[in-house]
Amino acid sequence: MSDTLQDKLDTLAGLLVDGSPHAVALGMKLVRVSPGEAVIRAPYQPESIGDPETGVMHGGVVTALLDHACGTAAFAGLGGDQAVATLDLRLDYMRPAKPGCDVIAEAKTVKVSGLIAFVSAIAHDGDETDPVATAHAAFMVTKASQAAAERARARAEVEQHVANEKAGGAAS
């Protein structure tokens, strides 16, 4: 019996953001992932401020958030078993994020063609109709991205084995 794509994504959900040291350092959290779609939140935190006088979140955080959300949507759009690398990312900043507000990126795969996924996204701070930025991106399955995915899977298997061993030892 094969799992559905959503079952696979739910199983991998913990790794989709937490498996990226960059996303972890920025405090990103996966809100939801479904076939071809992803929603990720970047919290407002002192380390994310780009302008101390206004308290506005740094544009680089918004860029990283949109890139990660688009990549996650592309991964989910390609079936959830092929790691991807950013091929092209275009951002249009529309306004600064409101100080004190988290920024949410909502990404959707528009089309998959062979090993390439085309994605569009918006980033907002609570009102989808008033975006902070929009993105259009292309992601591609590459040998390097597949090797990175294999390393991440192996690391996850080792961590799971260690956790199982600890749980087994604690039960004795």
Side-chain angles (χ1 to χ4, degrees):
M1 180 174 120
S2 68
D3 291 343
T4 66
L5 176 54
Q6 187 61 54
D7 291 337
K8 186 187 305 184
L9 294 172
D10 290 344
T11 300
L12 295 171
L15 292 174
L16 295 176
V17 173
D18 294 341
S20 166
H22 186 89
V24 171
L26 292 172
M28 291 183 200
K29 296 293 178 200
L30 179 68
V31 174
R32 87 176 159 272
V33 63
S34 59
E37 298 183 6
V39 178
I40 299 176
R41 175 185 301 268
Y44 183 84
Q45 54 192 3
E47 300 82 10
S48 298
I49 295 172
D51 182 350
E53 289 185 28
T54 63
V56 170
M57 186 181 285
H58 193 284
V61 175
V62 176
T63 299
L65 174 65
L66 282 164
D67 185 37
H68 204 82
C70 288
T72 302
F75 170 79
L78 284 161
D81 54 13
Q82 298 191 78
V84 296
T86 308
L87 186 61
D88 181 51
L89 177 66
R90 180 211 157 104
L91 298 174
D92 290 311
Y93 287 95
M94 304 195 173
R95 64 176 179 82
K98 294 175 190 159
C101 293
D102 293 354
V103 177
I104 301 152
E106 300 182 18
K108 181 180 270 188
T109 302
V110 176
K111 180 179 175 118
V112 171
S113 180
L115 298 176
I116 298 174
F118 299 91
V119 182
S120 64
I122 65 163
H124 62 85
D125 50 18
D127 181 358
E128 306 173 7
T129 65
D130 187 20
V132 171
T134 60
H136 298 282
F139 290 81
M140 182 176 183
V141 176
T142 67
K143 288 180 183 179
S145 63
Q146 287 302 93
E150 287 301 318
R151 288 191 303 274
R153 277 197 267 295
R155 185 173 56 246
E157 288 174 11
V158 168
E159 289 171 1
Q160 184 63 46
H161 178 72
V162 170
N164 290 343
E165 289 292 317
K166 285 182 181 179
S172 298

